[in-house]
């Protein structure tokens, strides 16, 4: 006797399921980018002005930059489950991806601030600016020019890495695609659609970043 798996094919309800996954991906990427960028700016500045902070946060930075994201997600999820801490997959993914974003953004911000010539800062002080005024009006605008392109690259990486959040139970676009592939066996069609989705998100961001780079160079 031979057994055959029924191919149910795609239905209109699957489009709604994919749309939910699309919105979940955008929500997760946007939240993680916002949290990680804000935390990374503060952390990068502190690592620039304080040797103690730089030494204390070095393990955090090195671990998050070196360990693959999927391993971080699985280990952190397992650890929190063992400790009895419950969190929704969205918030867990936001914190995990945001932590990685903060670590890599901190290094970009630190490099951008260190690229500002020392004579510019000394000139600002000679004009009567205090430390925060010099940071706000001199160092940060100049560091922004240096850090913009690397930061955009990090955002694009985070958008694509959001597909890994499915391992902790979050139904983002790639996970919803995998579920439909398992049910319908429409592998090529669904994977091509997923690739097109990520391209349509990442390409405009990349193009707009080039426009911003040209503007800040003026």
């Amino acid at each position: 006797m031979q057994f055959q798996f029924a191919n149910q094919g795609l239905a209109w309800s699957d489009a709604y399921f994919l749309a939910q996954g699309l919105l979940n991906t955008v929500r997760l990427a946007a939240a993680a980018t916002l949290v990680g960028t804000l935390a990374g700016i503060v952390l990068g500045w502190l690592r620039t002005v304080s040797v103690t902070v730089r030494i204390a946060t070095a393990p955090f930075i090195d671990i998050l930059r070196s360990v693959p994201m999927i391993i971080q997600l699985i280990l952190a999820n397992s650890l929190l489950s063992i400790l009895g801490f419950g969190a929704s997959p969205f918030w867990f993914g936001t914190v995990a991806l945001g932590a990685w974003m903060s670590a890599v953004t901190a290094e970009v911000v630190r490099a951008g601030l260190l690229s500002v010539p020392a004579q510019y800062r000394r000139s600002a002080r000679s004009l009567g600016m205090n430390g925060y005024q010099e940071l706000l009006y001199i160092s940060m605008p100049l560091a922004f020019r240096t850090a913009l392109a690397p930061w955009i690259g990090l955002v694009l990486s985070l958008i694509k890495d959001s597909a890994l959040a499915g391992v902790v139970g979050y139904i983002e676009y790639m996970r919803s695609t995998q579920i439909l592939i398992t049910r319908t066996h429409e592998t090529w069609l669904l994977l091509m659609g997923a690739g097109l989705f990520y391209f349509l998100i990442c390409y405009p961001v990349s193009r707009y970043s080039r426009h911003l780079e040209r503007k800040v160079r003026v």
Side-chain angles (χ1 to χ4, degrees):
M1 180 181 295
Q2 294 182 348
F3 295 93
Q4 292 184 347
F5 293 98
N7 185 349
Q8 300 180 23
L10 292 170
W12 284 109
S13 59
D14 296 331
Y16 177 73
F17 182 63
L18 288 174
Q20 286 183 313
L22 185 152
L23 292 177
N24 287 342
T25 294
V26 173
R27 287 175 59 229
L28 178 62
T33 298
L34 178 62
V35 171
T37 299
L38 293 178
I41 290 173
V42 175
L43 182 58
W45 173 68
L46 290 175
R47 284 173 57 82
T48 302
V49 300
S50 173
V51 177
T52 303
V53 174
R54 184 162 65 249
I55 295 174
T57 58
F60 169 79
I61 300 290
D62 292 337
I63 290 174
L64 291 181
R65 293 175 64 193
S66 304
V67 178
M69 176 56 64
I70 191 169
I71 296 178
Q72 296 180 38
L73 287 167
I74 294 173
L75 291 180
N77 186 49
S78 300
L79 178 62
L80 290 177
S81 299
I82 293 173
L83 296 177
F85 291 100
S88 69
F90 170 76
W91 287 113
F92 183 83
T94 299
V95 171
L97 290 171
W100 173 84
M101 187 67 178
S102 68
V104 292
T105 299
E107 289 300 281
V108 169
V109 171
R110 178 171 170 265
L113 291 173
L114 292 177
S115 69
V116 178
Q119 57 266 31
Y120 286 13
R121 294 193 292 269
R122 289 195 296 265
S123 298
R125 294 300 184 87
S126 67
L127 292 173
M129 292 185 180
N130 58 37
Y132 291 104
Q133 288 174 327
E134 178 271 322
L135 176 67
L136 182 62
Y137 297 110
I138 303 299
S139 294
M140 289 190 67
L142 293 175
F144 177 77
R145 297 183 179 187
T146 303
L148 178 60
W151 179 78
I152 291 295
L154 297 178
V155 173
L156 296 178
S157 295
L158 186 143
I159 293 172
K160 290 177 285 187
D161 284 347
S162 66
L164 300 175
V167 299
V168 296
Y170 188 67
I171 308 298
E172 37 69 47
Y173 190 80
M174 195 63 205
R175 180 58 180 160
S176 62
T177 298
Q178 292 173 340
I179 292 173
L180 290 181
I181 288 175
T182 302
R183 183 174 64 82
T184 67
H185 307 294
E186 296 285 354
T187 306
W188 284 100
L189 178 62
L190 289 168
L191 286 181
M192 288 177 63
L196 179 62
F197 162 71
Y198 285 103
F199 174 79
L200 291 177
I201 289 182
C202 294
Y203 183 72
V205 173
S206 178
R207 293 294 299 177
Y208 185 65
S209 70
R210 296 176 189 176
H211 171 69
L212 286 180
E213 287 179 43
R214 288 192 296 267
K215 289 188 67 175
V216 299
R217 288 175 184 171
V218 178

